[in-house]
Structure formats: structure tokens, C-alpha cells
Amino acid sequence: MLRNIVVTILVFLFTGISSLIFAQTPDSAPKPSYIAGEVVAIANMKITLKANTGPIDILITDKTVFKHASAENPSLSTATPGAMTDITAGDKITVSGILAKDGKSMPARQLFYVTKADVAAKNAKEAEEWRKRGLTGKVAAVNAQTNQITVETPGMLGATAKSVLTPKDTAKFLRYAPDSISFAEAKPSNLAEVKVGDMIRALGDKSTDGTSFSAEQVITGAFQTVAGTVKSIDIEKNEVVIANLQNKKEITIVIGETSVLKKYPAEMAERLAAMQMAGGGGAGPGGQGGRAGGTQVRPAVPNGGTQVRPASPDGQGQPAGGGQRGFGGGRPGGAGGGGIDDQFDRFPNITASDLKVGDIIALSSSKNADMTRLKAIKLVAGVEPFIRAAQAITNRGRGQGAGPSGAGGDGGFNIPGLDGVSFP
């Protein structure tokens, strides 16, 4: 979401700066440029800016005008006088001036900046709104005639609640880009693109009983999770070949720059897997009560995230929506809660070199037709306890066709945190 805010900010600032500069520059004079990016370093009246074209040195003079733009309302009309001393590494700036011929430096005429603290505050505010007014789950049905979507919101141990989502007249639809769970990279969409089996997140107003939801923002995507045994590791290519636990077929896993690699702490994995077995099912989205229904990816919303908490011991479902248990539950106490997604972010980071042949790993990826090569969105090691739990549930007859060797594209396991996401 950080990039989403910055893009909005830069659109406002570019528009304002360009109209201001070009309106005042004679046709015979050099045309000023305007460059935007992130501050990398500040020293000796010089700001090193990381722009799309590469690093550029912004040279500060006694004529440079500084303006502090608000992350909440990023426009020239609301910008206030600022100073170079207010700017630090990580801030976003837009600068106007005459670019040097080599394209590597530019004396700054005007410099508009939005601090990372401003952006963080805006992010936190939006995240809290999504936690309180958000709905997360799996699309169970789409009714084009009534303009409604039925959303299933399962809990970690299998209890499933349903809500009927009705978009408001002004509702905004987005769809995640391939191999991405970034809200900033989502593309404009519509109801016609929503399919049964999609993951869905929505912001809006839910009814008191949680059975209906009036949405003002809807974002969907098609994701899957796969588990397998590591057969080979190519460190140079950053690829791992696994044997799919479901059908034993080989899959090449591509680890990209944005892939998140983690290792589940052994004690926590054993404890949560034991809870799944005690609850009678490891159901993730798509699972019915008592059925091991397979984890799904929970993509990002603006700096949000939803807590995965165990369902009640008696297996009774909870209403969907923020503040409730289960897949769509909010973090108690707001952003400071300690849900599994928060804990997952603190799990040890790993690389392909930390994996060994014979390890069992699980990953999330975009759903596509080619199951021989997948790009990892998240890859998690140390998941053996969850795989054993899913198999044990299947063996005792509570998850027919849902264990690691059963039917279903997601393998029947539930690995808390794999379906979550890290946020900027």
C-alpha cells in the first residue's frame, strides 16, 4: 500500500508542478524536469534520490523551495513550507529543476516531500479500517442477476460461516495481478471477473448477524497452495524442484525477488498441528466443518491483514467479519494484536541455500494451468507437523479425499500464516 499512496501523491504533485513550471517558462528557455523517488542519502547539501531511471543527485541551493505535502491530501494547494532538515532517508520526494546533460544530477528549484512517518500513519489508519470493516474469505457463489457474491469464511479448525456480499453502487473492484498479493499491483476489475473459488477481500459494512455485507471495495484473486518434498536445489537460478505430495509429480518452484521465505518454528508448528487434529479438521478456505479443506492465500489489503485464530473447541462457527474468530477475524486491540500473521512476519527468514533435499515445504502461488513451474509468493519450511496432521485426519475418516494424497488442488493441509502476507 506504500507504493499505492506514493503513486497517488506523485500524480497530484506532478500535475501541479508541471502546470506551474511550464506556465512560467519561456519557450526559449530549457524545459525543467520533474523527478520523483525515494531518498537514499543526505549529505553536504545533496540528496541522493532513487528514481525509476536510477540514482540521481539532487543539489540543494539557497533558492530551493521546500514544501511538505500531506499523505492524507497530497496536493500543492495543501502543501506547507518545509525544510531540508525535515527530510530523512526513506522519504518520498518530487523535485523540479534543470537536469544535467549526463542525467545524473539536478539543482532543485522546488522540492515536495512526504515523510515516511506521514505514510506510516496513513497506512496504520487504513489498516485499522480494514480490520474493523473488512471481510475475507473464499467465493462460494456469484449471482450476476442479483449482483451478489456468497463468501465463505472458514475458521482455522473447520467452522465455516457464510455472508452474502452486495456491492454498493459506487463500489470499486480490483483483481490481484499474476504472481502477486500486493494491493498496489492490483488491476481494475468488475463483478464479471469474480469466479467461484477465488479469494476475496472487501471493505464495507456488515450486518449485525454477519450474514450480509455491503461492500465499497472488493478485491479478488485466484491462488493455490502446494506442498512437496524437495528433490533438488539450484542456488544460482534460485529454483527448487519438489515432488508434489498430492500426485508425486515434479514442480519447479521459482523464487523471485518478492517471494517471502520463512521457516516455521518447530514447537509452534507441533502445537498448532495438534490443535488441528484435536479440532477434527485442518480446514482452510473451501473446507466444510470437519473436512480438511486446504489452505488458501490471503492476499494483501492496504497494510492490513487478518488474524488466524483457532475456532472454539466445540467447533461452533463464528460470524464473519472483523473482531470475530476464524479466517476473517480482526486483531484484538487493533494493530497491536498478536495474530498468526503478525507472528509469521517474525519467523526466521531463509533462502534456497537453507533448504535440503528431503525437506517438506509448502508454498502459495497464483493459480495457473501449468503445474510444472510455479512462482512462489510465499514458501515455508518446517511444515511437516501440518502435513502429518492432515494425513492423520484423513486416516481416521474425517477428511475423505482431502489428505495430502487426496483430491483437491490445495492438498488438504492448513498451514497458518502461509495464507497471510507481509505489509510495508
Side-chain angles (χ1 to χ4, degrees), residues 152 154-155 157-161 279-284 286-293 315-317 398-399:
E152 286 185 342
L157 300 184
T160 302
Q288 303 301 319
R291 174 182 178 272
Q316 298 301 308
R398 296 187 180 184

Side-chain angles (χ1 to χ4, degrees), residues 210-298:
T211 61
S212 63
F213 191 92
S214 181
E216 56 201 48
Q217 287 193 57
V218 178
I219 182 165
T220 60
F223 302 96
Q224 63 186 345
T225 56
V226 177
T229 304
V230 175
K231 296 193 67 176
S232 65
I233 305 161
D234 190 324
I235 303 299
E236 291 187 1
K237 291 184 177 180
N238 223 13
E239 295 180 354
V240 179
V241 176
I242 65 171
N244 190 343
L245 291 183
Q246 181 185 350
N247 54 27
K248 308 305 179 185
K249 293 183 178 180
E250 290 191 0
I251 305 174
T252 299
I253 308 303
V254 180
I255 301 170
E257 292 183 359
T258 59
S259 300
V260 177
L261 278 66
K262 295 284 186 176
K263 184 171 183 178
Y264 231 103
E267 183 179 348
M268 179 179 288
E270 293 287 356
R271 183 171 68 252
L272 292 178
M275 291 168 60
Q276 290 181 359
M277 287 192 288
Q288 303 301 319
R291 174 182 178 272
T295 303
Q296 296 283 346
V297 178
R298 283 175 22 187

Side-chain angles (χ1 to χ4, degrees), residues 109-381:
R109 291 185 178 183
Q110 288 186 310
L111 189 153
F112 292 81
Y113 63 92
V114 178
T115 69
K116 58 186 177 182
D118 293 337
V119 175
K122 181 175 174 61
N123 287 348
K125 181 179 178 180
E126 291 188 352
E128 186 63 15
E129 184 178 23
W130 276 86
R131 291 186 184 109
K132 289 181 177 179
R133 302 181 58 232
L135 173 69
T136 303
K138 180 181 178 182
V139 175
V142 180
N143 190 325
Q145 284 71 41
T146 62
N147 201 39
Q148 292 179 320
I149 302 169
T150 301
V151 180
E152 286 185 342
T153 309
M156 190 170 73
L157 300 184
T160 302
K162 287 188 177 182
S163 299
V164 176
L165 182 153
T166 303
K168 297 180 180 180
D169 292 340
T170 57
K172 178 181 179 181
F173 278 81
L174 295 171
R175 192 162 181 86
Y176 288 100
D179 297 320
S180 172
I181 49 176
S182 168
F183 187 90
E185 296 174 356
K187 307 298 183 184
S189 184
N190 52 54
L191 182 68
E193 290 190 306
V194 182
K195 307 298 181 185
V196 172
D198 282 351
M199 293 307 301
I200 183 170
R201 281 193 165 186
L203 178 69
D205 303 309
K206 58 181 175 289
S207 62
T208 303
D209 61 4
T211 61
S212 63
F213 191 92
S214 181
E216 56 201 48
Q217 287 193 57
V218 178
I219 182 165
T220 60
F223 302 96
Q224 63 186 345
T225 56
V226 177
T229 304
V230 175
K231 296 193 67 176
S232 65
I233 305 161
D234 190 324
I235 303 299
E236 291 187 1
K237 291 184 177 180
N238 223 13
E239 295 180 354
V240 179
V241 176
I242 65 171
N244 190 343
L245 291 183
Q246 181 185 350
N247 54 27
K248 308 305 179 185
K249 293 183 178 180
E250 290 191 0
I251 305 174
T252 299
I253 308 303
V254 180
I255 301 170
E257 292 183 359
T258 59
S259 300
V260 177
L261 278 66
K262 295 284 186 176
K263 184 171 183 178
Y264 231 103
E267 183 179 348
M268 179 179 288
E270 293 287 356
R271 183 171 68 252
L272 292 178
M275 291 168 60
Q276 290 181 359
M277 287 192 288
Q288 303 301 319
R291 174 182 178 272
T295 303
Q296 296 283 346
V297 178
R298 283 175 22 187
V301 295
N303 308 287
T306 47
Q307 181 182 16
V308 179
R309 298 178 61 194
S312 55
D314 60 5
Q316 298 301 308
Q318 298 288 343
Q324 303 296 333
R325 294 183 179 183
F327 191 79
R331 290 177 174 87
I340 192 65
D341 289 348
D342 297 314
Q343 296 179 51
F344 188 93
D345 290 342
R346 296 191 291 270
F347 287 175
N349 293 312
I350 61 173
T351 65
S353 61
D354 295 311
L355 301 175
K356 301 185 297 295
V357 172
D359 285 350
I360 295 179
I361 62 174
L363 65 127
S364 60
S365 72
S366 292
K367 193 172 289 186
N368 56 55
D370 183 8
M371 285 296 293
T372 64
R373 189 176 180 85
L374 300 175
K375 182 178 179 181
I377 295 174
K378 275 191 173 183
L379 186 152
V380 189

Side-chain angles (χ1 to χ4, degrees), residues 75-98:
S75 68
L76 290 178
S77 62
T78 60
T80 58
M84 184 173 177
T85 53
D86 296 333
I87 302 172
T88 60
D91 291 349
K92 305 296 180 178
I93 67 174
T94 300
V95 187
S96 68
I98 306 297

